Amino acid sequence: MPRVNYRDSDVALMARMMRAEAEGEGKQGMLYVGNVIVNRLKANCLDFKNLRSVPQVIYQVQGGNYSFEAVQKGNVFYQRARSVEKRLAKKNLDYWREHPGKYALWYFNPSAPCPPTWYDQPASGQYKNHCYYEPKPGTCASVYNG
């Protein structure tokens, strides 16, 4: 049973996002970005309430901007998904979760070392250029379930 329900179009959209956000960090880096996408879909808490589909997560607007920089700026996001990224996205949607993205709801690429917190949320770790952050304990239990 997959972690979330999805369609083929969701796999392709998520694959495009994973590539645009983390292609330079290889397959592992793209999988961590995929973790964040699925976690936001499962969370239903904090900034991620009432997100019910992959497109709602990808195209979410917060503070007048898209949540993901790749959607905002375009870059690789608007290219077609390749089969390798589709396989990775499907892996995330079906079962794959691993530290530091396992429970993360946020990530970013700082120009300095990862801060211990980001918007008051604790760091869960770093992979190459991206820092990952999970919700404070007790604020979003649904992220830690399945």
Side-chain angles (χ1 to χ4, degrees):
M1 183 167 165
R3 291 188 61 215
V4 295
N5 293 325
Y6 62 90
R7 301 175 306 200
D8 288 343
S9 60
D10 297 330
V11 173
L13 178 62
M14 190 165 144
R16 288 176 26 220
M17 177 59 68
M18 292 163 67
R19 177 182 177 195
E21 290 282 323
E23 182 177 28
E25 296 183 354
K27 292 177 184 176
Q28 193 77 11
M30 288 188 278
L31 283 167
Y32 292 136
V33 167
N35 273 164
V36 170
I37 294 167
V38 175
N39 289 346
R40 287 181 178 188
L41 184 52
K42 295 207 42 98
N44 202 30
C45 60
L46 302 169
D47 295 333
F48 311 106
K49 290 182 179 168
N50 301 316
L51 298 176
R52 302 287 184 253
S53 68
V54 170
Q56 286 179 341
V57 171
I58 301 288
Y59 295 112
Q60 183 185 24
V61 174
Q62 295 176 308
N65 292 309
Y66 288 109
S67 295
F68 290 101
E69 188 174 327
V71 178
Q72 222 167 292
K73 293 185 175 178
N75 63 28
V76 190
F77 178 66
Y78 292 103
Q79 296 180 14
R80 290 197 325 181
R82 299 180 300 195
S83 59
V84 65
E85 288 95 13
K86 286 180 184 178
R87 282 193 302 275
L88 295 173
K90 188 164 175 16
K91 192 172 181 177
N92 277 127
L93 290 159
D94 285 340
Y95 67 89
W96 196 90
R97 298 174 88 182
E98 193 172 293
H99 179 78
K102 187 172 186 174
Y103 304 117
L105 288 174
W106 305 272
Y107 63 87
F108 81 108
N109 183 345
S111 56
C114 295
T117 60
W118 193 53
Y119 292 100
D120 204 31
Q121 306 301 325
S124 57
Q126 180 175 355
Y127 184 76
K128 296 191 178 181
N129 294 324
H130 282 101
C131 306
Y132 292 84
Y133 296 84
E134 56 188 53
K136 288 190 290 190
T139 60
C140 194
S142 54
V143 170
Y144 299 97
N145 302 328

